[in-house]
Amino acid sequence: MAVVAGLAGALLSAGGCTSTGTNSAAPTALTEGPKDTGSYPNLNVPPQVAAKQLTKEETAANLAQLKAEQQAQLAKGGGAKAPANSAALNTLARTHGGDTLKQIEGKCDPTLDPNCN
């Protein structure tokens, strides 16, 4: 029994040596857990907002600016275009697998490896 009490005392004293500084990574609310305040939370109180909300005019102005920038990009040719030569792309699609397999099986490729014999 004295051994158990001594062991418990040693564990408690070792636990007292740990640091609980304020620079821990986890917020205090997450590490301490829920607290019983003895009352129910009032859900009718609106929460504080993190930032000022945009008005309808500000939203419309921002949307108009984005659409103008989009039109400017499309006018410069930044939009998605159809491929210029679809026949060449179809030929590449048919032969690419076989060409790649030949390069892999050829052990070395002089165009990729200058030391290849």
Side-chain angles (χ1 to χ4, degrees):
M1 190 61 138
V3 172
V4 173
L7 182 60
L11 289 175
L12 287 176
S13 65
C17 293
T18 60
S19 174
T20 57
T22 59
N23 57 359
S24 64
T28 306
L30 295 177
T31 58
E32 292 181 5
K35 297 211 186 275
D36 185 8
T37 61
S39 65
Y40 291 103
N42 186 356
L43 300 178
N44 295 319
V45 177
Q48 293 181 345
V49 295
K52 179 182 81 86
Q53 300 297 307
L54 294 175
T55 64
K56 291 187 184 223
E57 293 80 21
E58 290 172 325
T59 303
N62 288 342
L63 187 58
Q65 180 184 2
L66 287 174
K67 290 207 181 268
E69 290 176 6
Q70 179 186 26
Q71 293 300 322
Q73 285 293 326
L74 290 174
K76 282 196 249 180
K81 296 180 182 177
N85 191 355
S86 61
L89 291 176
N90 287 335
T91 304
L92 177 65
R94 282 193 304 273
T95 61
H96 179 70
D99 293 344
T100 304
L101 188 58
K102 287 177 187 174
Q103 285 181 354
I104 292 171
E105 290 175 345
K107 303 288 189 240
C108 68
D109 184 6
T111 58
L112 297 176
D113 185 10
N115 299 327
C116 181
N117 294 328

